[in-house]
Amino acid sequence: MSTVVHLPSDVRRFHAGLDAVRQRARQLGATPQRRRQALQILLAEMQAGRSSGAAVALANSSLRDYPASGWAGGAA
């Protein structure tokens, strides 16, 4: 089965984000499933037009073993 993935327009920036998320996943010892989920979040956020820093931060936050707390509020 084939899948077509539409990459963000700046592919170099996307690849840098991939490297950052993969490195963080290695540091945390994330499972392959959790790493895959983080990479999917990275792609979705970059396709939505978020900055690479914000997209990487959101993807990396999904690598944690605990759910994100709600005390910090939401995005403005």
Side-chain angles (χ1 to χ4, degrees):
M1 176 183 266
S2 299
T3 302
V4 176
V5 177
H6 297 280
L7 297 177
S9 59
D10 190 347
V11 177
R12 286 190 325 196
R13 196 180 78 174
F14 176 65
H15 281 282
L18 285 174
D19 291 341
V21 173
R22 285 182 183 134
Q23 180 179 2
R24 185 64 177 152
R26 276 192 300 273
Q27 289 172 346
L28 295 174
T31 64
Q33 174 61 30
R34 193 162 284 193
R35 186 184 70 240
R36 218 175 357 262
Q37 177 187 2
L39 294 174
Q40 289 173 348
I41 290 170
L42 175 74
L43 177 60
E45 295 301 329
M46 289 188 86
Q47 287 174 331
R50 291 208 193 267
S51 70
S52 55
V56 168
L58 287 167
N60 284 346
S61 70
S62 72
L63 293 169
R64 297 181 298 196
D65 285 333
Y66 53 90
S69 65
W71 65 266

